[in-house]
Amino acid sequence: QRYVVAAIRRRSDTSSQRDVVAARAALLQKAQDEENLMRRLATMAAASHALRLGPVALRPAQIALETPLSVVVRDLRPVLPGHVVVAPKRPVERYADLTEEEGDDLAVAIRRAQQLTPAADAFNVALKDGTSAGQPVAHVHAHVVPRVKGDLANNDEIYGLIDGWTPLDACGAPVTLDVPDDAARKPRSAEDMAAEAARYRRRGEPFPEPADVTFGPFAVDASQVFFESGTCRALVNLKPLVEGHVLVVPKAVVPTLGEMDEELHRDLWRAARRVHAMITEEYGATGANVAVQDGIA
């Protein structure tokens, strides 16, 4: 009996010691986790303080959200309520200078920026690339402007508002795009459009002649297609605003960016970047505008 009691006590003592050791280990782990969390928060705060848009140092309160390589900035001279600016964290001057990872991440950040205002009827997304296109600072950025029905007396006013935007008065006078009236833009002949597409096609990878090409409800002649990816294509424009004004669209009819799955959304922006490079090379352009009219307001 004494042996049994002693054995039970030894087991009980050993169990108590293990409990004490486990409790101490748990406390140490908790303290370590808290220290790691504080370090991460400090790093994030420091990164937020270090973020800039060109010459503008961004305040932490202006950071609406971050992705690994991009930042969404609010309250930076918005032209309409909810207007945010999306930029890569790395201060890259031109759209073509982004790495593929940065370009993909910028597209993700634009998508998430739109999700900040789910009640919007539509969005204007605009990227002015290069000083000749009106880029006010040497740092790539896109505007995401939520729209609601009746917010402007004339919907086209939004283009002037974005053209006139600068983050600082010191950025100088804006460069505006001289857009002709719609009545002055006459439809072009099928022959002219096919010839233009053939010029651009020489700058890209060859692809089989597409079938059943559409743009919304409209059938498009295959000769007007000059670029194809897995899910998207580029078309010449029936009534271009300026020479080189082209369209990049998904092959499937999808009404808005928000209705695209992630793969299609990524491929659309990759296609836009490739077409942007083709067109600027074709014309020796020092700037270009990339714009999406997303939805109807």
Side-chain angles (χ1 to χ4, degrees), residues 76-85 124 143-147 151-152 157-166:
L76 190 61
R77 295 187 163 188
V79 301
L80 284 176
H83 170 201
V84 295
V85 177
N124 286 101
H143 299 272
V144 176
V145 185
R147 303 293 306 281
D151 57 3
L152 294 173
E157 289 178 43
I158 188 61
Y159 305 115
L161 292 173
I162 293 174
D163 278 347
W165 181 89
T166 63

Side-chain angles (χ1 to χ4, degrees), residues 179-188 237-242 245:
V179 178
D181 292 335
D182 191 62
R185 296 161 51 208
K186 304 300 182 184
R188 299 187 297 160
N237 206 321
L238 179 65
K239 297 168 64 176
L241 293 172
V242 295
H245 174 199

Side-chain angles (χ1 to χ4, degrees), residues 1 94 115 129 136 157 165 172 178 183 186 189 216 236 289 294:
Q1 288 179 342
R94 299 297 302 276
Q115 293 167 351
D129 181 47
E157 289 178 43
W165 181 89
D178 185 16
K186 304 300 182 184
S189 70
V236 294
N289 288 278
D294 188 35

Side-chain angles (χ1 to χ4, degrees), residues 19 41-42 49 60 62-63 73 89 150 171 186-187 213-214 223 229 243 257 274:
D19 290 344
L41 291 174
H49 283 294
Q62 289 180 291
I63 309 304
V73 186
K89 292 179 179 178
C171 292
K186 304 300 182 184
V213 180
T214 59
S223 66
S229 66
E243 194 173 20
L257 292 175
R274 181 68 189 100

Side-chain angles (χ1 to χ4, degrees), residues 93-280:
E93 181 174 357
R94 299 297 302 276
Y95 194 37
D97 295 334
L98 294 174
T99 65
E100 182 170 309
E101 292 77 13
E102 287 173 323
D104 287 348
D105 191 80
L106 189 71
V108 170
I110 289 170
R111 186 180 182 91
R112 291 187 58 190
Q114 290 185 271
Q115 293 167 351
L116 293 173
T117 50
D121 295 317
F123 293 89
N124 286 101
V125 181
L127 190 156
K128 299 165 77 66
D129 181 47
T131 55
S132 59
Q135 181 180 339
V137 293
H139 191 154
V140 177
H141 59 278
H143 299 272
V144 176
V145 185
R147 303 293 306 281
V148 295
K149 289 180 173 63
D151 57 3
L152 294 173
N154 179 350
N155 255 339
D156 286 348
E157 289 178 43
I158 188 61
Y159 305 115
L161 292 173
I162 293 174
D163 278 347
W165 181 89
T166 63
L168 291 172
D169 289 333
C171 292
V175 176
T176 59
L177 180 65
D178 185 16
V179 178
D181 292 335
D182 191 62
R185 296 161 51 208
K186 304 300 182 184
R188 299 187 297 160
S189 70
E191 292 77 16
D192 286 345
M193 295 173 72
E196 180 186 3
R199 278 202 330 272
Y200 301 155
R201 201 177 295 122
R202 289 194 291 268
R203 292 189 174 274
E205 296 295 324
F207 56 88
E209 182 171 308
D212 301 322
V213 180
T214 59
F215 174 47
F218 305 106
V220 177
D221 191 279
S223 66
Q224 297 169 18
V225 178
F226 64 90
F227 170 86
E228 290 225 341
S229 66
T231 61
C232 300
R233 56 172 51 109
L235 323 168
V236 294
N237 206 321
L238 179 65
K239 297 168 64 176
L241 293 172
V242 295
E243 194 173 20
H245 174 199
V246 298
L247 305 171
V248 181
V249 300
K251 294 177 181 178
V253 177
V254 184
T256 66
L257 292 175
E259 294 171 78
M260 295 180 180
D261 62 31
E262 290 185 7
E263 181 180 357
L264 177 56
H265 187 269
R266 180 177 60 248
D267 195 49
L268 180 71
W269 283 98
R270 284 182 177 178
R273 289 181 65 215
R274 181 68 189 100
V275 170
H276 167 275
M278 292 168 66
I279 298 301
T280 52

